[in-house]
Amino acid sequence: MSENLIEVKGLTKKYGDFVAVNGIDFHVRKSESFGFLGPNGAGKSTTMRILAATSRRTSGQVSVLGKDPEIYGPQIRAHLGVVPQEGNLDVQLTVTENLYIYGRYFGLSSKFIRSKIDDLLEFAQLVDKRDVKVEALSGGMKRRLIIARSLVSEPDILILDEPTTGLDPQARHILWDRLFRLKEDGMTLLITTHYMDEAEQLCDRLIVMDKGSIMSEGSPADLIKKYSTKEVLEVRFGSNRNADMAPTLQNLCDRIEVLPDRILLYAEDAEAVLEDIIGAGHHPNTSLVRRSSLEDVFLRLTGRSLIE
Amino acid sequence: MLLSAAVAIAERRSGRLGDKYYAGRSHIVLERSLIAFKSSTWVVIVTGFVEPVLYLLSFGYGVGKFIGSIDSGTGRMVSYAAFIAPGLLATSAMNGAIYDSTWNVFFKLRESRLYHAMLATSLGPLDVALGEIAWALLRGLIYAIGFMAVVAPLGLIPSWWGILAIPAAVLIAFGFASIGMAITSYFTSFQQMSLVNIVLLPMFLFSGSFYPLTVFPGWVQGMIKALPLSQAIQLVRGLTLGAINVGLLSHVLYFLVMIACGLFITTRRLDALFMR
Ligand SMILES: Nc1ncnc2c1ncn2[C@@H]1O[C@H](COP(=O)(O)OP(=O)(O)OP(=O)(O)O)[C@@H](O)[C@H]1O
Ligand SMILES: [Mg+2]
């Protein structure tokens, strides 16, 4: 089970002088679900494109299934199912035709593909849209179709770049469930996402990237333990007063983060902190005690909140 | 690990020359064009066919009425309609190929990102380029046959050599398509595409579709004759009017060189386009 399907050492990608990915190392094991977190422009998609053999690296070593994607492009891509961040469905074709021709690109026979189409339509919940032109689908439907399309070749590795962006909550949960099952069947998943709950649900291990570098790596639970406290207290004093209150509250907790709309106080026992605050005569407009999440790790590592 | 069908197929070509660029499946790219064509591009095809016929009717028979017959350039007098028919065939072969290899390719490259989708699979960039050019040629062939089917019964193709105008049109389309694709690979915005029209329109007007080049002074004639459309017209006109001579081979050679250059540049550009 410790077989490394993907190994990356010192991977660097430059666009002109701009360094998009700056010497990163990581590896992904078979049947693992591996996540990439990071703010916009961190280099997640760039890294994924290089792994997917659709972009050339500037330097470093990359091995996917034991081969260099730059040398064995078509052979490696035959193992992959790719859901790109930007949609690239064939707008001139219908839903079914999109699935069909995509399978044909892999060289699969018409018969084989046709035997899979019904299942894939089911997967994408697009059975009743099967003969509709892709242009006429809603954004979320297109997204689901792209995901279904990536499965037509029965890939060993599924590369999902923000797969659930644009999906409604129900469709997201259905997708999580399906991805989970694919993983149980032995598929390896690479996922980027801006949804921390998604990362916590889906990823065995993840890296947090910022400005082309890896800030940290580990399982969601490890990362939370390492970079955050057990609990968090969120208080709001109104946007004008939040910043003024911060110095006063600083001593009451392990760490404090002041966001434009609220203050986050990190502590092992957040309830106790709230009592202290009220005891000191301060009265926040609202307060909330919750467990630490990846959101807090992200904030700590990148200095940026996701919900700004 | 159990090999999936897709992997087994891809491995079959492994180790062969160019396996990085070519998976041996350009026909699938062509298949995609046929599926898309079935539903959406009918209008374009019909326009491509109707356009030269309309030119022929309005100029050949309208203007032709005032002109009567004209020196074909070989000393033989032919009807004006018979004079311009090969010019229109060559021009429509060019236009179709250019349209496919510039506008359509640009759209699929930058807008719909179709090529990105194709290249996320086990296809190689050369499969995509060849498949797309093959489609341009197939369309060129259909246009040429359609046009000939209209003009031959009208008596505008005096020579049996004229049949060869059909493969000649495909050759011409191939030349323009491969150069067109190479040029499109450098474009980054739709605005730049109008540059193509700026070049094509004067070439269309002055390359001798509508009148013999003898109206120009000698040095201008020489310059125009070197242009690809003029080469194309000379080739097709020689065939339809049966003026067969070794000179025609030089035009064929001209297009072979054009194809080679276009494919060479395109193939070299594919990496830059697809592997950014
Ligand atoms: N084709 C390109 N040419 C030039 N610069 C690029 C190109 N693609 C990406 N970049 C730059 O590289 C950096 C990383 O981009 P990338 O798409 O990998 O970010 P990301 O982590 O996926 O971000 P997001 O969360 O917004 O999707 C960005 O600064 C971006 O502007
Ligand atoms: Mg991205």
Side-chain angles (χ1 to χ4, degrees):
Chain A
M1 274 308 282
S2 65
E3 191 186 339
N4 283 347
L5 281 200
I6 295 174
E7 285 194 57
V8 172
K9 285 201 185 75
L11 172 62
T12 298
K13 171 75 181 182
K14 292 185 190 167
Y15 293 107
D17 287 339
F18 179 78
V19 184
V21 175
N22 192 2
I24 62 172
D25 307 291
F26 63 89
H27 61 95
V28 181
R29 288 187 285 262
K30 182 166 161 35
S31 301
E32 189 172 34
S33 172
F34 190 83
F36 295 78
L37 290 187
N40 292 140
K44 307 179 295 293
S45 300
T46 302
T47 306
M48 285 203 148
R49 277 201 302 273
I50 292 168
L51 295 178
T54 51
S55 176
R56 214 171 270 289
R57 61 185 183 266
T58 309
S59 62
Q61 288 155 20
V62 176
S63 140
V64 179
L65 294 147
K67 288 176 177 169
D68 183 338
E70 235 163 73
I71 301 173
Y72 298 95
Q75 288 92 326
I76 285 181
R77 292 197 297 267
H79 288 272
L80 309 180
V82 178
V83 174
Q85 183 172 3
E86 286 168 64
N88 59 13
L89 288 167
D90 197 326
V91 289
Q92 287 175 283
L93 307 188
T94 65
V95 169
T96 308
E97 285 167 347
N98 260 278
L99 295 173
Y100 169 80
I101 199 68
Y102 202 74
R104 294 286 288 151
Y105 295 152
F106 283 95
L108 302 170
S109 72
S110 311
K111 200 169 142 234
F112 177 86
I113 301 168
R114 290 196 197 290
S115 75
K116 299 210 59 169
I117 280 185
D118 285 338
D119 280 350
L120 291 171
L121 288 172
E122 195 78 48
F123 180 96
Q125 303 160 268
L126 289 172
V127 177
D128 51 337
K129 299 274 184 189
R130 57 185 307 147
D131 294 319
V132 167
K133 275 271 176 63
V134 159
E135 279 170 317
L137 295 182
S138 78
M141 292 174 183
K142 283 185 191 154
R143 205 71 200 141
R144 298 200 307 252
L145 180 57
I146 293 185
I147 296 167
R149 186 184 70 171
S150 71
L151 295 172
V152 71
S153 58
E154 304 184 336
D156 302 310
I157 303 176
L158 198 55
I159 298 187
L160 304 147
D161 199 345
E162 301 189 21
T164 61
T165 300
L167 294 193
D168 63 38
Q170 194 200 358
R172 272 178 79 203
H173 282 96
I174 293 174
L175 182 69
W176 290 357
D177 177 53
R178 307 228 158 120
L179 291 177
F180 204 78
R181 279 189 222 172
L182 291 172
K183 183 172 125 57
E184 281 180 332
D185 294 343
M187 201 181 278
T188 307
L189 306 177
L190 301 191
I191 305 167
T192 71
T193 179
H194 288 295
Y195 299 110
M196 296 297 134
D197 52 345
E198 185 161 294
E200 282 186 58
Q201 289 274 337
L202 286 180
C203 301
D204 299 324
R205 222 151 45 85
L206 48 87
I207 55 180
V208 180
M209 289 182 75
D210 194 15
K211 301 192 183 88
S213 302
I214 295 180
M215 311 296 290
S216 193
E217 175 186 331
S219 71
D222 288 345
L223 289 174
I224 292 170
K225 205 181 267 169
K226 189 161 169 199
Y227 293 100
S228 192
T229 52
K230 196 162 139 239
E231 294 185 343
V232 191
L233 170 65
E234 296 194 6
V235 287
R236 293 166 201 257
F237 290 93
S239 19
N240 325 333
R241 286 185 56 214
N242 281 342
D244 303 337
M245 288 302 295
T248 334
L249 304 179
Q250 201 134 30
N251 306 326
L252 300 177
C253 57
D254 296 357
R255 196 165 65 82
I256 187 164
E257 290 279 354
V258 185
L259 303 181
D261 63 329
R262 67 211 140 108
I263 304 176
L264 304 182
L265 300 151
Y266 292 90
E268 287 308 300
D269 183 354
E271 199 68 57
V273 177
L274 181 58
E275 277 164 26
D276 291 349
I277 292 176
I278 293 170
H282 306 298
H283 295 283
N285 299 346
T286 63
S287 62
L288 168 76
V289 171
R290 60 169 174 82
R291 299 182 68 83
S292 269
S293 68
L294 274 181
E295 192 90 41
D296 302 294
V297 174
F298 190 89
L299 185 62
R300 171 89 185 266
L301 287 173
T302 68
R304 258 164 285 188
S305 166
L306 280 172
I307 324 165
E308 263 168 14
Chain B
M1 189 183 303
L2 206 68
L3 285 190
S4 73
V7 172
I9 291 163
E11 287 301 331
R12 259 183 251 152
R13 278 200 85 83
S14 195
R16 291 217 220 160
L17 181 71
D19 63 349
K20 192 168 146 186
Y21 300 108
Y22 185 60
R25 282 199 296 283
S26 42
H27 63 285
I28 307 279
V29 177
L30 185 62
E31 183 183 347
R32 185 253 153 218
S33 292
L34 288 169
I35 298 176
F37 164 67
K38 265 193 311 191
S39 46
S40 69
T41 37
W42 267 112
V43 185
V44 180
I45 277 277
V46 170
T47 328
F49 168 70
V50 167
E51 198 178 84
V53 173
L54 288 180
Y55 269 106
L56 182 72
L57 294 179
S58 87
F59 282 85
Y61 292 100
V63 179
K65 220 176 181 120
F66 298 97
I67 295 177
S69 43
I70 186 169
D71 183 345
S72 68
T74 55
R76 236 180 63 213
M77 300 301 279
V78 295
S79 76
Y80 184 62
F83 177 80
I84 66 169
L88 292 171
L89 177 59
T91 305
S92 79
M94 170 183 86
N95 282 338
I98 290 286
Y99 183 84
D100 271 332
S101 64
T102 59
W103 288 99
N104 282 350
V105 165
F106 187 85
F107 177 78
K108 293 170 187 171
L109 183 66
R110 309 269 174 194
E111 294 291 312
S112 77
R113 304 173 62 81
L114 175 66
Y115 297 149
H116 292 82
M118 288 178 171
L119 288 161
T121 72
S122 52
L123 285 174
L126 200 55
D127 295 286
V128 176
L130 289 178
E132 289 290 273
I133 289 177
W135 171 239
L137 299 192
L138 193 62
R139 269 174 62 167
L141 178 68
I142 298 168
Y143 286 157
I145 293 174
F147 187 75
M148 291 297 269
V150 171
V151 297
L154 294 173
L156 301 182
I157 312 293
S159 162
W160 277 104
W161 285 100
I163 293 208
L164 290 180
I166 294 174
V170 175
L171 180 76
I172 291 161
F174 200 168
F176 280 105
S178 56
I179 288 283
M181 210 161 167
I183 292 171
T184 305
S185 71
Y186 290 94
F187 287 158
T188 52
S189 75
F190 269 112
Q191 281 86 332
Q192 289 169 323
M193 307 282 285
S194 22
L195 287 174
V196 173
N197 291 345
I198 294 176
V199 175
L200 289 192
L201 186 64
M203 191 152 86
F204 168 57
L205 291 175
F206 295 104
S207 279
S209 299
F210 296 114
Y211 45 84
L213 293 177
T214 45
V215 299
F216 296 117
W219 63 275
V220 178
Q221 279 185 44
M223 270 168 51
I224 293 178
K225 277 186 178 162
L227 295 176
L229 181 58
S230 175
Q231 292 277 329
I233 293 171
Q234 294 169 63
L235 173 60
V236 178
R237 189 170 283 148
L239 291 168
T240 62
L241 300 181
I244 305 304
N245 54 48
V246 203
L248 293 187
L249 283 180
S250 73
H251 305 316
V252 172
L253 187 67
Y254 182 101
F255 278 97
L256 291 179
V257 171
M258 194 165 156
I259 292 165
C261 291
L263 285 183
F264 179 73
I265 300 172
T266 305
T267 313
R268 291 194 55 151
R269 286 283 298 161
L270 290 172
D271 248 24
L273 285 177
F274 298 134
M275 296 289 286
R276 287 181 12 107

